């Protein structure tokens, strides 16, 4: 039997990210798990208009998406609990820059993507920032044969339904392969 | 040390979905993991323009997002391997409808969201469909105290980097809570 839950978003779990931007000349970070993939080269961020970081993304048209590992869960959660208006969240981390000079990235996060803003959607409560990825950095100990290995990255997966952070489990099947047996000959 | 990977999307793993639509009067489904959350009430789908399903979403302005469990991995992968142009993929499943008469849903999937199209973004290779969730259905045995329990749903998480399907691991921390200890008093 199915229960009707009303218009409840259940597109979870989603990868939890720390989004970086420059606001008033300084780096700041905000925890965002309402993210998305538009295409292979682009990402979206659904960010509440109340966040301090939004103005910096709009002004500089750049941002970073940093993927923290599970061992950074306290810092990651903290960055969603306090505002950059009153707290220097960049002080928690070692910050570095790549090609874009206004997209601060977090060295402690195994994956960093620097992005150029290409479009902004105006949602009732959210600015939705869509960015083109310019360069991606990955900790060398999170690669296997040159490919990002998420069992090493240990991303933090988020579900709003239970307000929880979840670990990634095992890789259990090959995409574009495991379903071949159902093809009619 | 960090390795530079070029402009590589590493915003994974993402929940794998089966997107449903009505094309030429019949239900069809396509596997999509390039999804996103714009806000609490909305989702996005980054769908290659080559997919048969896109025309139905554009025509009827409705679609469904079905979350398959790991035990449906073969069927889920298969729906991404074959085109609705030549194969009746709906025959694999028991199909049901909710409020929207052109958003077919899959009974075997523990979660179903029926959506109304509110915006379409034209990306170079993809149509990005943004939908407002109208109603959500969840298998009763996947709820705990009325809340969706993803340990019961067992979603299929996808990463393009390794072309793999991954399981969800354990819930290990409370969001908006675990980071409180870092707050200065």
């Amino acid at each position: 039997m199915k229960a009707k839950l009303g218009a409840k978003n259940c597109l979870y779990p989603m990868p939890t990210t720390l989004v970086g931007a420059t606001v008033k000349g300084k780096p700041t970070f905000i925890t965002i798990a309402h993210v998305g993939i538009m295409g292979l080269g682009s990402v979206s961020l659904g960010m509440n208009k109340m966040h301090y970081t939004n103005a910096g993304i709009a002004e500089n048209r750049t941002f970073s998406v940093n993927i923290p590992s599970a061992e950074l869960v306290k810092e990651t959660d903290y960055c969603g609990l306090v505002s950059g208006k009153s707290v220097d969240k960049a002080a928690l981390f070692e910050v570095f820059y790549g090609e874009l000079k206004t997209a601060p990235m977090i060295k402690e996060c195994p994956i960093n993507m620097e992005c150029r803003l290409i479009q902004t959607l105006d949602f009732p409560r959210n600015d939705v920032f869509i960015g083109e990825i310019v360069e991606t950095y990955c900790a060398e100990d999170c690669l296997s044969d040159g490919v990002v290995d998420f069992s090493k990255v240990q991303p933090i997966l988020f579900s709003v339904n239970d307000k929880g952070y979840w670990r990634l489990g095992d890789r259990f099947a090959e995409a574009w392969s495991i379903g071949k047996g159902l093809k009619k000959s």
Side-chain angles (χ1 to χ4, degrees), chain A:
Chain A
M1 279 292 292
K2 291 269 167 96
K4 283 170 86 167
L5 304 182
K8 195 151 200 76
N9 206 329
C10 291
L11 190 62
Y12 295 96
M14 293 293 272
T16 309
T17 73
L18 287 164
V19 171
T22 298
V23 181
K24 298 182 181 172
K26 290 182 178 169
T28 189
F29 298 97
I30 175 74
T31 313
I32 300 293
H34 284 169
V35 295
I37 293 180
M38 313 265 99
L40 273 175
S42 54
V43 298
S44 67
L45 311 173
M47 292 180 47
N48 194 299
K49 289 180 197 280
M50 291 175 61
H51 290 314
Y52 178 74
T53 307
N54 297 30
I57 297 177
E59 182 188 338
N60 301 304
R61 301 190 66 80
T62 58
F63 61 85
S64 71
V65 177
N66 304 272
I67 312 275
S69 59
E71 65 181 21
L72 284 173
V73 68
K74 285 184 185 173
E75 291 81 357
T76 301
D77 192 56
Y78 172 78
C79 286
L81 285 170
V82 296
S83 172
K85 199 180 289 184
S86 51
V87 175
D88 176 14
K89 293 187 258 185
L92 283 173
F93 307 109
E94 189 168 335
V95 174
F96 75 103
Y97 292 85
E99 289 188 35
L100 308 174
K101 300 307 170 195
T102 47
M105 292 179 280
I106 296 173
K107 195 174 170 190
E108 291 88 340
C109 290
I111 296 173
N112 321 92
M113 293 182 278
E114 46 178 345
C115 301
R116 193 173 279 124
L117 182 68
I118 55 172
Q119 193 166 357
T120 305
L121 306 181
D122 186 24
F123 268 63
R125 292 171 56 184
N126 284 6
D127 295 318
V128 178
F129 296 113
I130 298 173
E132 175 190 29
I133 302 161
V134 171
E135 183 62 78
T136 302
Y137 304 82
C138 181
E140 286 187 348
D141 60 4
C142 288
L143 295 170
S144 292
D145 299 324
V147 175
V148 173
D149 185 336
F150 284 99
S151 71
K152 296 176 177 175
V153 173
Q154 292 190 57
I156 301 169
L157 304 174
F158 169 78
S159 156
V160 83
N161 308 71
D162 58 272
K163 298 182 180 65
Y165 294 124
W166 297 68
R167 290 186 202 277
L168 182 61
D170 297 330
R171 185 180 186 281
F172 74 107
E174 296 286 330
W176 295 293
S177 175
I178 184 79
K180 282 182 184 168
L182 295 180
K183 276 194 185 180
K184 300 281 194 314
S185 55

